[in-house]
Amino acid sequence: MKNKKWISLATAVVLAVTALPLGVFAAKKDEAKLAKVTLNEVAHSIFYAPQYVAIEEGYFKDEGLDMTLITGFGADKTMTAVISGEADIGFMGAEASIYAYQEGATDPVVNFAQLTQRAGNFLVAREEMPDFKWEDLKGRKVLGGRKGGMPEMVFEYILKQNGIDPQKDLSIDQSIDFGATAAAFTGDDSADFTVEFEPSATALEKQGAGYVVASLGVDSGYVPYTSYSAKTSYMKKNPDIMQKFTDALQKGMDYVQSHTPEEIAEVIEPQFPETDLDTITAIVKRYYDQDTWKENLVFGQDGFELLQDILEDAGELKERTPYAELVNTEFAQNAS
């Protein structure tokens, strides 16, 4: 009997010892099954909260994707990464795909999912202006965005809607790199206003160096500000990956539609280690309250035509591009 007990004990020990490596091996095998996807985003901003919810909640992994996120710091750089094959999918303003198409791209970069439906930047003044009107910018200097980029074009679109000539009625400095305008605003007091994304707008307010006086997202109305795109060849070769990627994003969109700004902020907090939770919450609430995120990812034709209106208005459009050439709604419509 004693020998049988020792044999049973020895067997149990052997099984316990061998089970761990087998479990680890199985986990590694499961990881190996995940399809690798590289996403290049134009900027890393709380403005894109649904995307970070999808990452932090594990929606991409649930769909069988091993997603690598890279920040391009500008639509031109993100588009270059997609065209060169350095990235599989790009996340930027759809105007970049129109520019590339007009330059004669043989393998067009096509938009397949729209994330934001409003501009995400804000006009920041050096002093509080509770009664701000856009005509207050006449004769003043503003730190703007890159020529031909969505932030600058939407800004100029709003100016024109308010009877202001961007070239004659004020001075817009477009020489400062994306993401460096807030530092320039605090380091040089020659500018009266700056156009900022979050968290820079809130950071300037916390420093007492600036005050948000207007939301470009509110004053421009619904605009297809940022979308996901990929080369036509990649989409045709990888329809399953495209659908899984879009499904994961839709789950992120569903989450922000059904949760509070506080809950959203807690989920995406790990994506912004240099920003405290209270600030993240305040920024999420600002975007949440102005209806920034769509309920679905479908990039509609009306939005695409409005985008081209803005490009035309800014003098950046050689000729209009047919909607069907640069937008594919199949994956967004089938997203679940």
Side-chain angles (χ1 to χ4, degrees):
M1 288 293 290
K2 191 177 283 187
N3 286 341
K4 284 185 179 179
K5 285 182 180 178
W6 278 111
I7 290 168
S8 298
L9 180 61
T11 302
V13 169
V14 169
L15 288 172
V17 171
T18 56
L20 181 60
L22 285 171
V24 171
F25 177 76
K28 286 183 177 178
K29 190 174 181 182
D30 286 342
E31 284 180 19
K33 289 179 182 176
L34 297 176
K36 294 185 181 299
V37 179
T38 300
L39 169 65
N40 190 300
E41 59 176 2
V42 64
H44 198 70
S45 172
I46 295 164
F47 184 38
Y48 311 132
Q51 172 180 288
Y52 306 125
V53 167
I55 292 170
E56 294 298 327
E57 289 293 288
Y59 298 150
F60 288 103
K61 283 190 176 179
D62 290 347
E63 293 294 335
L65 300 179
D66 178 8
M67 204 267 283
T68 299
L69 181 65
I70 297 170
T71 305
F73 298 104
D76 52 342
K77 297 180 180 65
T78 296
M79 178 57 75
T80 298
V82 174
I83 290 173
S84 68
E86 182 185 327
D88 302 309
I89 295 171
F91 178 55
M92 64 198 123
E95 81 283 354
S97 65
I98 295 175
Y99 295 153
Y101 183 82
Q102 290 189 344
E103 287 169 8
T106 54
D107 188 2
V109 174
V110 174
N111 302 282
F112 65 89
Q114 180 188 332
L115 188 81
T116 56
Q117 61 183 2
R118 287 192 185 274
N121 42 2
F122 302 87
L123 184 69
V124 179
R126 290 200 179 274
E127 54 192 45
E128 292 184 86
M129 300 177 69
D131 300 318
F132 171 80
K133 300 179 294 297
W134 285 98
E135 60 199 51
D136 293 338
L137 293 181
K138 287 186 176 181
R140 314 297 282 275
K141 180 180 177 182
V142 181
L143 300 184
R146 177 178 58 85
K147 186 179 186 302
M150 278 299 285
E152 179 62 23
M153 289 191 297
V154 169
F155 177 48
E156 292 187 14
Y157 175 75
I158 293 171
L159 292 177
K160 290 174 183 176
Q161 293 290 102
N162 285 274
I164 301 168
D165 187 325
Q167 277 70 48
K168 296 177 181 178
D169 292 338
L170 70 161
S171 171
I172 304 175
D173 185 344
Q174 296 179 265
S175 67
I176 301 168
D177 286 342
F178 182 86
T181 49
F185 190 66
T186 55
D188 178 3
D189 61 5
S190 65
D192 305 294
F193 298 85
T194 181
V195 178
E196 296 294 336
F197 276 96
E198 294 288 13
S200 297
T202 296
L204 285 171
E205 286 192 318
K206 286 201 164 191
Q207 295 167 27
Y211 302 88
V212 171
V213 296
S215 164
L216 275 71
V218 170
D219 288 0
S220 64
Y222 290 112
V223 174
Y225 205 80
T226 41
S227 60
Y228 295 87
S229 54
K231 286 195 293 189
T232 302
S233 59
Y234 181 85
M235 295 171 75
K236 286 182 177 178
K237 186 179 178 182
N238 302 283
D240 289 347
I241 289 177
M242 296 298 301
Q243 190 62 64
K244 289 175 179 178
F245 183 92
T246 310
D247 288 350
L249 282 176
Q250 184 61 60
K251 289 176 183 176
M253 297 288 265
D254 292 343
Y255 186 99
V256 300
Q257 295 293 334
S258 59
H259 290 75
T260 65
E262 291 77 14
E263 291 169 327
I264 297 165
E266 284 186 15
V267 170
I268 68 172
E269 183 184 13
Q271 288 284 327
F272 303 93
E274 296 176 0
T275 307
D276 64 86
L277 182 57
D278 286 345
T279 300
I280 295 172
T281 303
I283 294 169
V284 169
K285 189 173 189 314
R286 182 173 270 169
Y287 284 134
Y288 187 96
D289 289 345
Q290 69 179 40
D291 195 25
T292 293
W293 305 298
K294 289 177 93 268
E295 290 187 8
N296 59 61
L297 296 160
V298 177
F299 194 151
Q301 185 164 356
D302 287 349
F304 187 74
E305 298 305 339
L306 174 59
L307 172 61
Q308 293 198 91
D309 289 343
I310 294 171
L311 293 176
E312 259 183 350
D313 206 39
E316 298 291 340
L317 195 65
K318 295 176 185 175
E319 59 181 348
R320 295 182 80 92
T321 302
Y323 170 73
E325 292 290 317
L326 290 183
V327 179
N328 180 335
T329 63
E330 174 191 349
F331 305 111
Q333 287 176 334
N334 292 332
S336 57

